[in-house]
């Protein structure tokens, strides 16, 4: 979102003879674009919405809509995973992202009878301090671009195995003295068969539009259709998941830069196989007990979005782990999308009802 917005704000600022400020901001925050931000496509704004707040989901590849657990963090990308079993849970999340980027948030859930639940959340996306300059290049101070997402969710058990949910998000962006606002919604359905540990979901994500624009140019939200499947195995504490996303478009080309030794132009990759795997995220859960889990994920799109000769061997892979204590649950996740960018996420999940007893 930031790079696209700052480019457009730059056009506005140039008319105000302050384009230097925008260029400085763009250079400082371009590395902060989310793995899901389609950095090589640049077709939408608000792409920070695709950065999960869940360490479990981040460990499973960053995109997952089928992880059925009794913890609030899994509701991040599918409101149909919210339920009365999460009554009085509070989640705190923190993420150290690329460069000076820091993301943090909190969420709370409450049951409505035996079949429904509601939740509220707030998440802050900060991109560090950036120098501001006038049209002559003289430094005039600093500013800190930021995005804020305030959300409200509701879910209901339609049948014993089918649950539906909706999350409405109010979005605010502030870059120096310029600001914008938008409203978005996620609609989700989940089918879960506990006897066979099978979960299937469909989500319409980021449906909505802008309410207030930076300038006269309208920016589209990263609206998406996602389908996911997850299956556990009897007698083995493993669960595999596959999530298909970006299903509103088939072609997701990227540019391959090679090993850095050639002066030839970058090669455009747009084959059937490449497009197929850039739509898929794979996850593996290992949970030998109710108190501990390890999550491993592979996101081919993240790997190919970072397709430079300095790309890490680990690019596209992510690892998460969690510990469930009697009253507190802790989870962490790590990934290295690029050699110069190691990301870290931390979750603290509390059950207020347990803490009060």
């Amino acid at each position: 979102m930031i790079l696209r917005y700052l480019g457009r704000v730059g056009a506005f600022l140039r008319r105000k003879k302050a384009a230097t400020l925008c260029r400085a901001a763009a250079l400082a925050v371009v590395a902060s674009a989310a793995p899901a931000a389609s950095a090589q496509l640049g077709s939408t704004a608000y792409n920070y919405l695709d950065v999960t707040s869940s360490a479990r989901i981040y460990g499973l590849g960053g995109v997952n809509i089928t992880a059925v657990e009794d913890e609030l963090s899994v509701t991040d990308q599918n409101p149909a995973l919210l339920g009365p079993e999460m009554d009085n849970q509070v989640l705190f999340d923190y993420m150290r992202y690329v460069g000076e980027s820091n993301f943090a948030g909190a969420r709370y859930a409450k049951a409505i009878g035996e079949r429904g639940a509601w939740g509220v959340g707030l998440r802050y996306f900060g991109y560090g301090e950036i120098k501001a300059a006038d049209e002559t290049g003289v430094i005039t101070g600093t500013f800190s671009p930021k995005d804020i997402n305030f959300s409200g969710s509701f879910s209901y058990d339609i049948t014993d195995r089918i649950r539906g949910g909706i999350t409405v998000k109010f979005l605010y962006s502030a870059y120096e003295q310029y600001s914008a606002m938008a409203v978005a919604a996620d609609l989700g359905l989940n089918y879960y068969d506990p006897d066979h540990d099978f979960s299937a979901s469909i989500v319409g994500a980021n449906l909505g539009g802008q309410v207030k624009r930076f300038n006269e140019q309208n920016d589209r939200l990263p609206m998406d259709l996602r389908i996911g499947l997850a299956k556990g195995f009897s007698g083995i504490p493993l669960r595999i998941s596959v999530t298909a996303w970006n299903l509103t478009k088939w072609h997701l080309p990227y540019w391959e830069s090679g090993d850095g030794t050639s002066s030839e132009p970058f090669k455009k990759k747009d084959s059937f196989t490449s497009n197929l795997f850039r739509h898929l995220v794979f996850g593996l859960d290992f949970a030998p007990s109710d108190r501990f889990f390890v999550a491993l994920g592979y996101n081919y799109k993240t790997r190919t979005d970072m397709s430079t000769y300095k790309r890490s061997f680990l690019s596209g892979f992510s690892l998460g782990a969690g510990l469930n204590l009697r009253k507190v649950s802790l989870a962490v996740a790590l990934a290295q999308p690029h050699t110069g960018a190691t990301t870290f996420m931390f979750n603290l999940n509390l059950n207020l009802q347990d803490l009060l007893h």
Side-chain angles (χ1 to χ4, degrees), residues 12 25 116 198 266 302 344:
F12 177 75
F198 174 76
F266 292 173
T302 296
F344 169 79

Side-chain angles (χ1 to χ4, degrees), residues 76-99:
D76 176 76
Q77 295 179 345
N78 185 356
L81 299 180
L82 175 68
E85 67 275 11
M86 301 170 191
D87 185 39
N88 269 330
Q89 284 193 22
V90 178
L91 172 71
F92 298 98
D93 69 88
Y94 168 76
M95 185 178 197
R96 177 68 174 182
Y97 203 63
V98 182

Side-chain angles (χ1 to χ4, degrees), residues 38 46 56 68 86 165 190 212 292:
S38 303
Y46 295 93
R56 183 188 285 267
V68 177
M86 301 170 191
N190 173 256
K212 179 181 181 295
F292 178 71

Side-chain angles (χ1 to χ4, degrees), residues 154-176:
F154 172 77
S155 69
Y156 189 78
D157 291 344
I158 302 170
T159 71
D160 290 341
R161 294 189 176 182
I162 299 176
R163 178 180 291 171
I166 180 173
T167 293
V168 178
K169 297 174 278 191
F170 300 92
L171 314 171
Y172 173 76
S173 301
Y175 306 143
E176 217 255 356

Side-chain angles (χ1 to χ4, degrees), residues 98-333:
V98 182
E100 298 299 318
S101 299
N102 290 277
F103 308 153
R107 196 178 308 166
Y108 173 76
K110 180 67 177 174
I112 305 175
E114 296 181 355
R115 303 182 71 88
W118 61 266
V120 292
L122 179 68
R123 199 168 190 218
Y124 172 85
F125 300 80
Y127 308 102
E129 192 172 83
I130 297 172
K131 293 181 179 179
D134 62 20
E135 66 273 13
T136 66
V138 176
I139 301 300
T140 60
T142 61
F143 70 103
S144 301
K146 57 181 173 292
D147 295 300
I148 298 174
N149 174 6
F150 175 77
S151 63
S153 302
F154 172 77
S155 69
Y156 189 78
D157 291 344
I158 302 170
T159 71
D160 290 341
R161 294 189 176 182
I162 299 176
R163 178 180 291 171
I166 180 173
T167 293
V168 178
K169 297 174 278 191
F170 300 92
L171 314 171
Y172 173 76
S173 301
Y175 306 143
E176 217 255 356
Q177 73 264 38
Y178 303 95
S179 63
M181 291 183 286
V183 177
D186 295 343
L187 302 175
L189 278 175
N190 173 256
Y191 170 85
Y192 179 59
D193 179 358
D195 297 330
H196 299 90
D197 197 7
F198 174 76
S199 175
S201 292
I202 182 169
V203 172
N206 306 320
L207 310 174
Q210 284 187 298
V211 176
K212 179 181 181 295
R213 297 175 286 188
F214 276 120
N215 53 30
E216 70 278 1
Q217 184 89 33
N218 185 57
D219 290 287
R220 295 187 298 110
L221 272 68
M223 291 185 284
D224 192 15
L225 176 65
R226 302 171 183 178
I227 298 174
L229 301 173
K231 181 69 174 71
F233 300 92
S234 178
I236 304 175
L238 290 176
R239 179 175 60 196
I240 60 173
S241 60
V242 180
T243 306
W245 68 314
N246 286 311
L247 296 182
T248 57
K249 51 186 176 292
W250 167 250
H251 290 279
L252 297 175
Y254 71 97
W255 297 89
E256 178 63 64
S257 61
D259 61 4
T261 61
S262 175
S263 60
E264 296 294 321
F266 292 173
K267 297 179 181 179
K268 184 178 181 179
K269 299 293 185 178
D270 195 20
S271 67
F272 174 85
T273 303
S274 170
N275 281 306
L276 174 63
F277 281 95
R278 277 170 64 80
H279 283 284
L280 301 177
V281 179
F282 301 92
L284 178 66
D285 258 318
F286 173 68
S289 75
D290 293 336
R291 294 188 174 273
F292 178 71
F293 78 86
V294 175
L296 176 66
Y298 180 67
N299 188 324
Y300 182 70
K301 187 176 185 302
T302 296
R303 182 172 181 83
T304 49
D305 278 349
M306 299 292 176
S307 60
T308 69
Y309 69 94
K310 290 184 179 180
R311 177 180 64 194
S312 168
F313 170 77
L314 298 175
S315 179
F317 289 96
S318 55
L319 178 67
L323 183 63
N324 183 20
L325 304 177
R326 191 169 68 89
K327 297 182 179 182
V328 177
S329 295
L330 307 172
V332 296

